[in-house]
Amino acid sequence: MIAQLLRILRESIKAVPAMRYALAVAGILAVVAMVGTFQLSPQTAVFGAVITLVLMVAMVIFARLTTTAPRHFILPVQLMTWAFLIVTVATAFLLFTSAFFQWPRGLRDLLDAKPVAPAVRKEAAEVKNLVSAARQQRTGRDYAGAWQTIGRALAAAPESAAAREEQLEIAMVWVREMTVRAPETFATAVRPLLECLYLNATTAQGIRAADIHAHIGWANFLRFRETNEDLKIQEEYATAVALDGTNPFANAMWGHWLATRRRPLEEVKARFRLALSTARERAFVQHIRIAALDWLRTPASALEMIRMADEMRRNHEDLPSDDRGRVYSAAYVYVGRDDGSALLEVLPPKDHLATFRWLVEGSDIRGSAVKSYYLARLSEAAGDYAAAVAGYRELLKEDTTYNDKAKAGLARCEHLIAKSNSGDRD
């Protein structure tokens, strides 16, 4: 049958040369026939027909070039050469970006594109709204609510990348800020979060994987506090640091773990130096740093907390009221109660006074004898004797354990003021 059709076509071309253009129709019909045979989509037929026509035009031009003198076709030769070169390079580039970056749309998407049903569009919009709502709840620190909302999104669209990513974000921040009230326990509270973390750890890479392993270690630490189980804590931090050497989560959490194991202060500080070497999550690192130093509760760690507060004041960093209270309690109440001399020498007097004022002014400390005494004592050390005298006299109006120190300080300041005034008269 096909042989007869081709013979008729050849005889027709001999009789009427213009019939050669019927070859184009034959090419298109051939494409359509292949589409029907292989049961391909209509979009494939359209692309196949277009490609066939383009190739046939190219063949006509090149066939013409073989029978025409070069001087008459030099410009078409140049145009065709450059055009095909550009098309070839552009095709290679676009195929590369389509395959690896999905830009422009992948060829498979173009060929197999199907209309999106209204019900599908409605479901996608609902999932998008749920993800957005969960993100807002997470930002508002309603982690339990956010977890339930993102669970609804994943139930509707289990393959949604946006929903899975938001669930991971919720799991990590909730683990970091986890608190429980009896009868709830850390072990039960972190169980679903750990499942999410472990699942994502199997596919994540680089910094993201390091973040996940750090949070797995922290979740295991929370469980360890209650059960004393033999869990992988430091091992998870080490895995995270192997993936990202300066990872702020892993190094800060590792430093905290070392403090709970009563390791030397220098080991703890080394981990926090690494955590602070990057600008990522600085507020979280400082919070954990205070918790670690407070866990050690040694004179050396308390003095380190004062240095830290001074550093944060100079850098204009925010320090929450609760953390200010921890620094104040560990350094000025705990250490300053027994040996104030070491505390007074930790910073230059004027810097220390500025840092102490910054620390207590942003806290909930009210009417404390410790606060009054150190404001007077640091004013004296900074050379502001008038302010120191006023502070000591105010402190002596009440019966406190600092009365003897206040009397001694008042005597020193009055002597220095009198000596200064005597020198002025001379």
Side-chain angles (χ1 to χ4, degrees):
M1 180 67 177
I2 296 175
Q4 291 178 352
L5 289 173
L6 291 174
R7 185 171 65 253
I8 292 171
L9 184 58
R10 284 198 296 270
E11 291 175 358
S12 298
I13 292 172
K14 289 179 182 179
V16 183
M19 281 295 293
R20 68 172 63 92
Y21 297 110
L23 291 172
V25 178
I28 294 173
L29 291 174
V31 171
V32 173
M34 286 186 288
V35 169
T37 301
F38 293 103
Q39 297 183 342
L40 301 177
S41 65
Q43 291 90 339
T44 305
V46 173
F47 274 89
V50 172
I51 292 171
T52 300
L53 287 173
V54 171
L55 293 176
M56 288 179 67
V57 169
M59 290 301 297
V60 169
I61 294 175
F62 283 121
R64 180 65 175 168
L65 292 176
T66 61
T67 59
T68 306
R71 65 177 179 274
H72 298 299
F73 258 76
I74 188 66
L75 183 59
V77 169
Q78 292 176 335
L79 288 175
M80 288 298 295
T81 301
W82 284 107
F84 271 85
L85 178 61
I86 292 171
V87 168
T88 302
V89 173
T91 301
F93 174 76
L94 292 174
L95 284 174
F96 178 83
T97 57
S98 177
F100 292 98
F101 303 104
Q102 298 300 307
W103 181 90
R105 288 185 63 191
L107 186 59
R108 183 180 296 276
D109 293 338
L110 293 175
L111 294 177
D112 298 335
K114 296 179 181 179
V116 180
V120 175
R121 286 198 297 268
K122 182 179 179 180
E123 182 179 277
E126 181 181 357
V127 170
K128 183 179 180 180
N129 290 336
L130 286 170
V131 172
S132 178
R135 186 178 298 114
Q136 292 178 21
Q137 288 173 298
R138 170 171 59 85
T139 304
R141 303 182 72 180
D142 178 13
Y143 304 128
W147 189 257
Q148 292 179 354
T149 302
I150 205 63
R152 290 168 54 198
L154 285 168
E159 301 303 319
S160 171
R164 291 198 306 272
E165 182 65 20
E166 180 57 30
Q167 186 188 49
L168 176 59
E169 286 292 338
I170 296 168
M172 289 197 293
V173 69
W174 199 359
V175 164
R176 290 199 302 272
E177 300 188 16
M178 177 67 69
T179 58
V180 296
R181 293 182 179 178
E184 187 181 27
T185 64
F186 283 116
T188 56
V190 302
R191 186 177 294 117
L193 309 182
L194 264 173
E195 180 181 346
C196 173
L197 292 170
Y198 277 119
L199 286 173
N200 281 276
T202 61
T203 57
Q205 296 179 344
I207 293 175
R208 194 60 166 169
D211 290 348
I212 294 171
H213 280 287
H215 286 81
I216 291 173
W218 187 256
N220 285 340
F221 166 71
L222 295 177
R223 294 168 60 198
F224 170 80
R225 287 175 60 180
E226 291 179 338
T227 64
N228 205 31
E229 295 179 66
D230 184 16
L231 300 169
K232 290 184 177 181
I233 300 173
Q234 185 164 311
E235 294 89 342
E236 290 291 343
Y237 299 150
T239 299
V241 169
L243 292 166
D244 176 23
T246 59
N247 188 272
F249 294 122
N251 282 295
M253 293 169 176
W254 196 345
H256 182 273
W257 170 250
L258 293 174
T260 66
R261 300 296 91 194
R262 300 294 176 182
R263 298 298 301 165
L265 177 60
E266 285 306 314
E267 287 188 31
V268 176
K269 289 167 60 177
R271 281 293 155 196
F272 283 102
R273 278 196 295 271
L274 285 171
L276 291 168
S277 64
T278 174
R280 280 186 68 212
E281 301 293 340
R282 190 175 180 89
F284 169 76
V285 173
Q286 298 287 43
H287 172 71
I288 296 298
R289 185 181 175 191
I290 289 174
L293 293 171
D294 194 31
W295 196 296
L296 287 173
R297 273 295 173 115
T298 64
S301 66
L303 297 180
E304 182 64 21
M305 291 173 84
I306 296 177
R307 296 187 191 96
M308 174 184 170
D310 183 63
E311 171 191 289
M312 294 185 71
R313 175 184 66 84
R314 291 174 180 276
N315 292 336
H316 304 287
E317 295 181 61
D318 182 49
L319 185 61
S321 178
D322 289 347
D323 285 339
R324 290 171 186 261
R326 294 178 82 168
V327 174
Y328 173 84
S329 177
Y332 299 97
V333 178
Y334 175 67
V335 173
R337 177 181 55 199
D338 299 324
D339 184 11
S341 59
L343 185 147
L344 292 173
E345 295 172 0
V346 69
L347 295 173
K350 291 184 178 180
D351 291 335
H352 198 163
L353 177 60
T355 296
F356 184 81
R357 284 175 173 164
W358 173 82
L359 193 65
V360 298
E361 286 171 2
S363 69
D364 295 330
I365 301 167
R366 297 287 184 274
S368 167
V370 178
K371 171 185 172 182
S372 300
Y373 171 73
Y374 274 104
L375 279 173
R377 186 66 183 87
L378 291 171
S379 295
E380 177 190 347
D384 189 352
Y385 303 123
V389 166
Y392 286 136
R393 286 176 176 170
E394 189 67 27
L395 187 60
L396 287 172
K397 291 180 180 179
E398 300 179 14
D399 184 17
T400 70
T401 57
Y402 285 88
N403 279 28
D404 291 341
K405 292 182 178 181
K407 289 177 182 178
L410 180 60
R412 288 193 304 270
C413 290
E414 288 178 338
H415 172 73
L416 290 170
I417 291 173
K419 184 176 180 180
S420 176
N421 292 337
S422 175
D424 291 341
R425 285 194 299 271
D426 293 341

